[in-house]
């Protein structure tokens, strides 16, 4: 495991984010920006459940961190007018932990289980029965004398969140009535997220300023909100508090987040690849040594976004800089530079989709 929590452009929540995020969360489906498909589908599920006077089917939300899975689960509860209980897979290590939570749910309550793919196996098996029959068997005693005491549960809605639906065992996946796939946001959607947050935080931001921040936010609302807060600081300290394109750009230059959302680590990987290794191919560990980082940091922290942006390719022979990477660094790409792909736009840049989202998975070259 690597820690990238101190990076401004990490999609994971840090301690600083949590309090502000609570204030910035949209509270209804109408307020939730983007993800039109998921929003429409979910709205149908919730409307139908309300019309029947029942609880909605269990919902699985899959997608990268910071795109709004927790927010959507809270919206589901709010739209249904029921309470929500929030926990996560890693917090449920024993079946007993889960039994305690399930048995204390009230009728119709939403149970949000983040990182559901990281739950322990016994807890997962208990969840199968709870989801299907609203019942669990509590095992009392050990060995041959153990007995199962059935416990009826009130109907509830499980909202599971995972970064990869493919990691879930099929029996668990099949028990969700609806799966929503969340994708990275486009610049126009992020611009709306930034305008909305700026209103709530009382920061005057013009359209160009919002778009400038959006362009550096890696398709992720959590990052957009974090960058907005840093830009707000800059605008207050070095200007009159208003955020224009120029102020946003100067502020994010100070924080070393460039126009495409790359930070210092991302750029140093590309720089080493291009200047020291002629664009590659070069093995991962050699590249890591060249930038003075752990192999895992390069692989898990820097590479996913570089690949998604169409700047770096993983090939069987090693890491390769694409033509776009050379251009990004202001250099002329050699004739044979890899063309690179980024899933959604077909252009190198922000909003492509990496291997985990339908791109071409390339074999890892760990040397
Ligand atoms: N569609 C959206 N519109 C407006 N704000 C959003 C939207 N999606 C996310 N946000 C904001 O982004 C922040 C992160 O969202 P959230 O915590 O729901 O993400 P997540 O997908 O659950 O992340 P993780 O998987 O890391 O828990 C929140 O502050 C939320 O307000």
């Amino acid at each position: 495991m690597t820690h990238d929590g101190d990076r401004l452009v990490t999609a994971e929540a840090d301690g600083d984010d949590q309090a502000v995020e609570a204030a910035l969360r949209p509270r209804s489906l109408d307020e939730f920006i983007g993800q039109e498909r998921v929003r429409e589908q979910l709205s149908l599920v919730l409307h139908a459940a309300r019309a029947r006077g029942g609880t909605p089917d269990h919902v699985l939300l899959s997608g990268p961190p910071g795109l709004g899975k927790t927010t959507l689960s809270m919206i589901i509860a709010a739209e249904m007018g029921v309470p929500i209980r929030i926990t996560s897979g890693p917090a449920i290590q024993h079946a007993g932990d889960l039994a305690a939570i399930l048995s204390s749910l009230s009728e119709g309550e939403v149970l949000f289980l983040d990182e559901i793919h990281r739950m322990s196996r016994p807890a997962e098996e208990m969840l199968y029965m709870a989801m299907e029959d609203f019942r669990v068997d509590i095992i009392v005693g050990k060995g041959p004398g153990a007995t199962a005491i059935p416990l009826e549960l009130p109907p509830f809605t499980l909202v599971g969140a995972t970064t990869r639906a493919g990691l879930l065992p099929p029996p668990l996946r099949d028990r969700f009535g609806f799966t929503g796939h969340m994708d990275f946001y486009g610049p126009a959607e992020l611009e709306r997220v930034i305008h909305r947050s700026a209103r709530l935080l009382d920061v005057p931001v013009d359209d160009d300023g919002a778009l400038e921040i959006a362009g550096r936010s890696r398709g992720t609302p959590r990052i957009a909100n974090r960058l907005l807060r840093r830009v707000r600081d800059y605008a207050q300290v070095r200007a009159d508090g208003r955020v224009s394109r120029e102020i946003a750009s100067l502020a994010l230059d100070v924080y070393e987040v460039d126009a495409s959302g790359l930070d210092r680590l991302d750029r140093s990987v590309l720089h080493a690849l291009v200047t020291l290794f002629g664009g590659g191919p070069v093995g991962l560990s050699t590249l890591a040594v060249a930038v003075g980082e752990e192999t895992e940091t390069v692989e898990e922290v820097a590479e996913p976004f570089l690949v998604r942006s169409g700047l770096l390719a993983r090939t069987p022979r090693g890491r390769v800089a694409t033509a776009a990477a050379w251009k990004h660094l202001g250099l002329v790409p050699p004739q044979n530079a890899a063309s690179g792909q980024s899933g959604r736009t077909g252009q190198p840049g922000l909003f492509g989709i990496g291997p985990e989202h339908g791109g071409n998975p390339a074999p890892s070259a760990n040397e």
Side-chain angles (χ1 to χ4, degrees), residues 11-12 21 24-26 31-33 64-71 114 185 193 196 221-222 225:
E12 308 286 343
E21 280 191 356
L24 296 182
R25 281 185 205 286
E31 256 188 83
F32 192 85
I33 293 161
L67 300 192
K69 298 186 293 296
T70 308
T71 304
D114 203 3
Y185 292 63
V193 170
R196 180 181 172 278
R222 172 172 289 135
N225 284 340

Side-chain angles (χ1 to χ4, degrees), residues 60-349:
L60 180 64
L61 299 173
S62 77
L67 300 192
K69 298 186 293 296
T70 308
T71 304
L72 267 186
S73 74
M74 291 177 168
I75 289 175
I76 292 173
E79 298 261 344
M80 294 306 296
V82 295
I84 180 167
R85 190 83 56 95
I86 296 181
T87 183
S88 73
I92 300 180
Q93 280 318 308
H94 306 286
D97 300 336
L98 183 63
I101 294 172
L102 290 171
S103 61
S104 64
L105 290 177
S106 57
E107 175 138 1
E109 190 159 355
V110 168
L111 173 62
F112 178 63
L113 236 170
D114 203 3
E115 297 187 78
I116 191 170
H117 57 276
R118 293 182 58 197
M119 214 171 25
S120 74
R121 184 98 201 140
E124 198 176 278
E125 279 166 11
M126 174 178 276
L127 193 59
Y128 295 163
M129 193 193 270
M131 290 172 77
E132 200 152 280
D133 302 329
F134 298 111
R135 189 169 68 87
V136 287
D137 280 339
I138 308 285
I139 309 292
V140 182
K142 280 202 167 118
T147 43
I149 301 178
L151 180 70
E152 297 291 328
L153 303 173
F156 66 95
T157 300
L158 178 71
V159 180
T162 177
T163 44
R164 305 252 205 102
L167 292 178
L168 289 192
L172 181 55
R173 221 169 37 213
D174 294 346
R175 282 171 167 80
F176 287 96
F178 165 69
T179 300
H181 297 284
M182 321 262 299
D183 210 341
F184 291 103
Y185 292 63
E189 292 162 336
L190 285 178
E191 190 192 343
R192 286 169 57 206
V193 170
I194 291 162
H195 273 309
R196 180 181 172 278
S197 301
R199 256 194 322 276
L200 293 170
L201 295 172
D202 211 10
V203 188
V205 177
D206 69 20
D207 289 351
D208 286 344
L211 205 54
E212 184 66 32
I213 300 172
R216 303 186 190 214
S217 302
R218 298 175 170 236
T220 307
R222 172 172 289 135
I223 299 177
N225 284 340
R226 194 183 297 134
L227 296 188
L228 171 65
R229 285 173 358 240
R230 296 293 73 82
V231 171
R232 170 183 65 172
D233 296 347
Y234 183 96
Q236 275 171 5
V237 176
R238 302 256 169 101
D240 64 358
R242 277 172 230 278
V243 176
S244 60
R245 179 186 293 280
E246 193 196 355
I247 291 294
S249 164
L250 288 170
L252 294 174
D253 287 349
V254 170
Y255 288 102
E256 301 186 291
V257 178
D258 75 16
S260 300
L262 271 58
D263 73 353
R264 195 150 55 90
L265 173 67
D266 302 321
R267 279 192 306 277
S268 71
V269 169
L270 283 190
H271 198 259
L273 189 51
V274 162
T275 57
L276 301 178
F277 305 106
V282 62
L284 174 64
S285 55
T286 307
L287 186 58
V289 170
V291 293
E293 292 287 350
E294 298 291 323
T295 307
E296 292 78 17
T297 305
V298 173
E299 188 174 30
E300 293 167 26
V301 177
E303 276 190 357
F305 184 66
L306 294 175
V307 171
R308 175 154 75 87
S309 305
L311 296 168
L312 180 145
R314 293 171 173 163
T315 75
R317 291 173 51 227
R319 271 53 177 175
V320 175
T322 64
W326 290 79
K327 289 183 197 151
H328 190 85
L329 297 172
L331 301 167
V332 179
Q335 290 285 314
N336 61 349
S339 63
Q341 295 177 339
S342 95
R344 188 194 281 181
T345 59
Q347 292 286 326

